[in-house]
């Protein structure tokens, strides 16, 4: 049986990698992937604590995080596609305003 601390260290590492990617990358698609990595780190934490406590609250929380991640991906990709069609780039620095 793997101790809970190992899951938490893995989740912290994943979250830090995602946060580093969000703060340093300029491509909107890469930023979305890094946000997904951070949400998966949160899911891992919820599930690790649910396993330790033996209840299902962490599973329910992870389910809601997955739903939020799916909605974020769908809406975010739609915005990125619309911006790419109008400006020809997905660079975050080029998206200073939503006006044309």
């Amino acid at each position: 049986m793997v101790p809970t601390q190992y899951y938490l260290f893995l989740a912290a590492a994943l979250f830090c990698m995602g946060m580093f990617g969000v703060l340093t990358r300029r491509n909107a698609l890469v930023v979305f992937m890094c946000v997904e990595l951070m949400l998966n780190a949160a899911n891992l934490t919820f599930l690790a604590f649910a396993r330790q406590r033996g209840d299902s609250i962490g599973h329910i929380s992870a389910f809601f995080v997955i739903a939020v991640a799916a909605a974020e991906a769908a809406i975010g990709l739609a915005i990125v596609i619309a911006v790419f069609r109008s400006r020809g780039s997905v660079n975050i620095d080029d998206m200073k305003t939503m006006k044309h």
Side-chain angles (χ1 to χ4, degrees):
M1 184 166 160
V2 179
T4 304
Q5 291 84 9
Y6 291 166
Y7 292 113
L8 297 179
F9 287 135
L10 177 62
L14 289 174
F15 191 86
C16 289
M17 285 190 285
M19 186 171 59
F20 179 75
V22 167
L23 294 175
T24 59
R25 303 299 288 204
R26 297 292 104 201
N27 189 330
L29 295 175
V30 175
V31 170
F32 280 134
M33 288 190 297
C34 292
V35 169
E36 295 290 331
L37 193 62
M38 292 166 57
L39 291 173
N40 284 328
N43 278 341
L44 184 60
T45 302
F46 285 135
L47 294 176
F49 282 119
R51 181 173 172 256
Q52 182 183 21
R53 294 180 55 170
D55 60 3
S56 63
I57 295 173
H59 296 276
I60 294 169
S61 300
F63 177 74
F64 283 117
V65 170
I66 290 171
V68 168
E72 174 259 337
I75 294 171
L77 287 176
I79 291 172
V80 167
I81 289 172
V83 168
F84 181 76
R85 284 184 179 171
S86 67
R87 299 185 181 167
S89 173
V90 291
N91 191 346
I92 292 176
D93 293 333
D94 296 339
M95 296 185 223
K96 292 181 181 171
T97 179
M98 295 301 283
K99 295 180 182 177
H100 287 274

